Amino acid sequence: MTHPSVLEKQTTEPEQNTDIGLLDTRETDFYKTDGGFTGLRYKGKTFPRVSFRRALPIGKPDSYISVADDENKEIGIIRDIGDLSHTQRDVVREDLAKRYFCPSVQSVKSVKDKMGYVYMELILTGAGTTYEKSCAINDVNRNIRMIDGSRLLIFDVDGNRYIIENIQALDKKSMSRLEPYMF
């Protein structure tokens, strides 16, 4: 008689190997409060203000969404927002879009290195608008990084994120300004 090995029993989905506190999406009721916050009614409990965080923001942005109360205590995890009703999905996606707002860099107007910070002037598009933004980046080794073969993420000192969707599509001047900071 052969017994399956532990490795054969493991799968690639985290919840099948570990109890990660998945929410039963049939019992979730996400709603907007009068003050514009997101609340949750779940299994007889009401949480008047909740926040969402992606566990895998780049690889699986719609899966494994942590739901926390106003004291930042995790209530549970949504395995996939596609499991929610259309209305519920809209509420969660709206909140995630605010938290993870990440405008796209169209060009880099200037880059200056000064006293350990890198100051950039960027042309951005996001939420249907094109605009200029100045930002400061500290520790470029950690805050300017390639996330795959063509996309580059920039994190500024204020916690804002900017993405270059296709580094090869940047104009030559923008590329030459960025190259010294790409590792």
Side-chain angles (χ1 to χ4, degrees):
M1 183 162 119
T2 61
H3 297 285
S5 72
V6 172
L7 292 176
E8 290 172 2
K9 290 181 182 178
Q10 290 183 340
T11 68
T12 58
E13 295 301 317
E15 77 271 10
Q16 292 178 348
N17 295 322
T18 317
D19 178 11
I20 59 172
L22 293 176
L23 295 174
D24 182 349
T25 55
R26 295 170 298 188
E27 296 196 42
T28 59
D29 179 23
F30 294 105
Y31 62 93
K32 286 295 184 184
T33 67
D34 291 338
F37 298 110
T38 300
L40 167 64
R41 287 182 283 270
Y42 184 68
K43 292 189 174 184
K45 292 184 181 178
T46 299
F47 303 90
R49 189 170 179 181
V50 296
S51 60
F52 303 95
R53 288 186 183 80
R54 290 179 165 127
L56 304 167
I58 297 167
K60 290 187 171 193
D62 287 345
S63 299
Y64 306 107
I65 309 297
S66 173
V67 182
D69 65 14
D70 60 348
E71 295 178 2
N72 209 25
K73 182 179 176 206
E74 187 171 84
I75 299 164
I77 294 176
I78 302 167
R79 188 187 65 75
D80 191 293
I81 60 175
D83 297 339
L84 297 168
S85 71
H86 180 71
T87 304
Q88 299 286 292
R89 233 185 337 243
D90 288 348
V91 171
V92 173
R93 282 195 171 130
E94 179 184 331
D95 226 58
L96 287 168
K98 288 176 189 172
R99 175 176 288 278
Y100 292 94
F101 179 67
C102 187
S104 182
V105 176
Q106 300 305 303
S107 67
V108 180
K109 287 181 64 175
S110 72
V111 178
K112 295 176 184 154
D113 201 335
K114 190 174 178 182
M115 301 198 42
Y117 288 88
V118 173
Y119 296 90
M120 292 187 179
E121 289 184 42
L122 305 171
I123 304 290
L124 304 169
T125 57
T129 307
T130 299
Y131 55 98
E132 290 185 30
K133 171 97 166 77
S134 297
C135 64
I137 297 119
N138 187 18
D139 190 3
V140 293
N141 292 330
R142 294 180 68 198
N143 292 312
I144 298 177
R145 54 187 140 148
M146 294 296 294
I147 55 174
D148 59 28
S150 63
R151 294 187 302 165
L152 180 86
L153 267 177
I154 301 169
F155 300 88
D156 73 12
V157 295
D158 295 321
N160 299 309
R161 302 171 187 95
Y162 313 97
I163 190 164
I164 299 173
E165 291 288 349
N166 183 352
I167 195 84
Q168 290 84 18
L170 273 181
D171 62 89
K172 289 181 183 181
K173 285 184 180 181
S174 294
M175 191 63 183
S176 67
R177 291 176 182 132
L178 272 179
E179 277 179 332
Y181 305 100
M182 294 171 44
F183 300 99

